[in-house]
């Protein structure tokens, strides 16, 4: 009887800890705020890094930075974040000017990050479901 009661108390304590952890994670995500809508619009590298950090706090599984005109500096900042991020599964970086410095940073990040499954460097342009027609001359 006493052992059963101790086991129930232990389970209740574990459940309490789990709920507290879930609440802390939810608060952390709420504190992060919404991710930036326009990644290329921020020229200040420090502010861009803050945007990136805020976005990654939301635990996204994918990050689409296709055609955002990222500089080597921003790619390096992104790679520093990728090294320690465990939620990202896919990163899309096509259409950016990733030079030797950015490529080296990306290679280093991929060595350290074991959760990332896909890094796409090809720019994908969505195709319209219809043909564009020239306006008739009036």
């Amino acid at each position: 009887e006493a052992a059963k009661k101790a086991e129930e108390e232990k389970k209740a304590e574990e459940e309490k800890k789990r709920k507290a952890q879930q609440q802390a994670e939810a608060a952390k995500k709420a504190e992060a705020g919404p991710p930036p809508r326009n990644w290329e619009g921020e020229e200040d590298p420090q502010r861009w890094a803050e945007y990136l950090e805020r976005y990654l706090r939301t635990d996204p599984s994918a990050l689409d930075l296709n055609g955002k005109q990222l500089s080597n500096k921003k790619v390096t900042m992104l790679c520093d974040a990728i090294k320690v991020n465990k939620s990202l599964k896919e990163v899309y970086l096509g259409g950016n000017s990733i030079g030797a410095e950015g490529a080296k940073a990306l290679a280093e990040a991929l060595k350290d990050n074991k959760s990332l499954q896909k890094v796409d460097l090809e720019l994908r342009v969505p195709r319209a479901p219809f043909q564009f027609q020239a306006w008739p001359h009036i």
Side-chain angles (χ1 to χ4, degrees):
E1 180 89 16
K4 187 176 181 181
K5 188 174 181 179
E7 183 67 31
E8 288 175 0
E9 288 176 359
K10 182 179 177 182
K11 284 183 181 180
E13 187 65 32
E14 288 174 358
E15 181 66 19
K16 193 175 182 180
K17 285 181 183 178
R18 188 182 63 76
K19 284 184 179 181
Q21 184 179 8
Q22 286 176 338
Q23 289 175 341
E25 288 174 4
K28 182 179 169 185
K29 284 183 181 182
E31 178 185 292
R37 289 182 290 161
N38 184 3
W39 287 94
E40 74 264 23
E42 187 53 60
E43 294 305 318
D44 176 21
Q46 182 61 37
R47 181 124 182 209
W48 192 87
E50 290 169 10
Y51 281 166
L52 178 64
E53 180 184 344
R54 185 177 352 144
Y55 180 73
L56 292 176
R57 274 193 238 146
T58 66
D59 293 331
S61 62
L63 179 59
D64 185 359
L65 295 173
N66 261 333
K68 299 299 182 187
Q69 301 172 353
L70 300 182
S71 63
N72 272 325
K73 185 170 184 108
K74 288 181 182 177
V75 170
T76 301
M77 284 188 278
L78 170 65
C79 291
D80 288 343
I82 287 174
K83 285 180 185 180
V84 296
N85 183 281
K86 303 296 182 228
S87 67
L88 279 178
K89 304 289 182 235
E90 300 176 1
V91 176
Y92 297 89
L93 295 171
N96 291 293
S97 301
I98 299 175
E101 180 185 342
K104 183 178 177 185
L106 188 56
E108 290 296 320
L110 294 175
K111 283 184 200 175
D112 294 339
N113 185 308
K114 304 301 181 203
S115 64
L116 199 56
Q117 299 169 358
K118 180 177 185 177
V119 176
D120 190 332
L121 299 173
E122 181 179 346
L123 179 61
R124 302 208 189 286
V125 179
R127 293 186 181 185
F130 53 87
Q131 294 290 327
F132 287 100
Q133 298 292 323
W135 285 93
H137 296 291
I138 298 176

